[in-house]
Amino acid sequence: MAAPTVIGKGTADSGTGLIATPGYPAAPLVNDVIWLLAISHQPVSIGVISTSAVGFTEAAQGTYQDSSLVNSGRAGLWWKRAAGGESGAINVDRTGDTGPDTSFLAQLYLTRGHVQTGSPYENLTARYGPGGASVVWDAATVSGASTLVLAFVGQADNLSTVDPPKGYTALDTDTTAAGTDSEVRLCYANDSASAPQTSGTGGETEGWGSFHISAPPIPAQSLTASGIPTEENLG
């Protein structure tokens, strides 16, 4: 069984208004998984993040706290099983405060080789601060080997860049200088058998949201001898 893999990311979009329009990663295939990560920093009036883009399911969303345990904004994660060939951009919306005392940033990520029915992940744990010099990802359940572990983070401010936890790789971070600044990043561990609590340096006191995910491989009985998914398991 081959573990799922991280393919890449799209084009992040940001601003201080109510809408962000991130662009799809290049050339998604049928049954790839597209992830949407968004952070909305709104220390005055916190709203809710949403998307009406076809096929996306909310995995987790919550209100994060700064280092003084004050609610400061929202971070959320969504996923979609690709139809194949998605392109262009999607709308990501928020309610609540807008303007230069806020920041809104969204990005799309692409992974491949997931189970092809139901949820693409076994377990997800979310944590919403409190802000500080380290970002923490809580432990996620892993039942077997060949698991892809994904560690998403969205944080307010971008003075520091979140570093991947020990043993993890990371895609290049996306930051914005719009409003109060913010950052999103995907760190990951390939072919893993566990996902204990872990942390990375480069956190900010303004707050962050982290999402730790265990994504199992396609079961062996769903593959032909050549390793190609069987017709009845194409989803």
Side-chain angles (χ1 to χ4, degrees):
M1 298 181 292
T5 58
V6 173
I7 302 301
K9 61 178 183 171
T11 304
D13 188 57
S14 63
T16 60
L18 294 176
I19 299 175
T21 55
Y24 276 111
L29 304 179
V30 175
N31 282 323
D32 283 353
V33 174
I34 301 168
W35 306 86
L36 163 63
L37 174 64
I39 182 167
S40 172
H41 189 61
Q42 296 170 302
V44 175
S45 177
I46 300 172
V48 175
I49 308 170
S50 63
T51 182
S52 58
V54 174
F56 280 91
T57 298
E58 184 177 303
Q61 181 177 173
T63 300
Y64 62 82
Q65 295 182 320
D66 66 16
S67 58
S68 299
L69 305 184
V70 175
N71 291 343
S72 298
R74 299 278 285 185
L77 184 72
W78 293 254
W79 66 273
K80 170 186 176 176
R81 197 175 301 282
E86 283 90 342
S87 62
I90 67 169
N91 280 6
V92 184
D93 306 293
R94 68 173 177 174
T95 58
D97 191 26
T98 60
D101 61 338
T102 77
S103 188
F104 191 23
L105 175 61
Q107 175 62 295
L108 294 165
Y109 301 88
L110 183 66
T111 56
R112 183 168 295 158
H114 296 273
V115 294
Q116 296 169 345
T117 58
S119 172
Y121 57 88
E122 175 185 0
N123 187 227
L124 181 154
T125 57
R127 184 170 178 140
Y128 304 104
S134 294
V135 172
V136 178
W137 290 268
D138 287 335
T141 301
V142 176
S143 295
S146 300
T147 292
L148 173 64
V149 178
L150 302 171
F152 292 96
V153 59
Q155 76 167 346
D157 206 349
N158 62 10
L159 183 62
S160 298
T161 296
V162 176
D163 298 311
K166 183 178 180 179
Y168 286 61
T169 303
L171 297 180
D172 289 341
T173 193
D174 290 289
T175 63
T176 179
T180 54
D181 309 337
S182 51
E183 174 191 6
V184 291
R185 194 170 202 185
L186 170 58
C187 308
Y188 59 96
N190 289 317
D191 203 3
S192 298
S194 65
Q197 186 183 81
T198 190
S199 63
T201 57
E204 296 283 0
T205 58
E206 285 84 349
W208 42 260
S210 67
F211 307 95
H212 210 194
I213 294 173
S214 58
I218 300 172
Q221 62 269 26
S222 298
L223 301 175
T224 66
S226 65
I228 303 301
T230 57
E231 183 176 354
E232 64 267 24
N233 285 284
L234 288 178

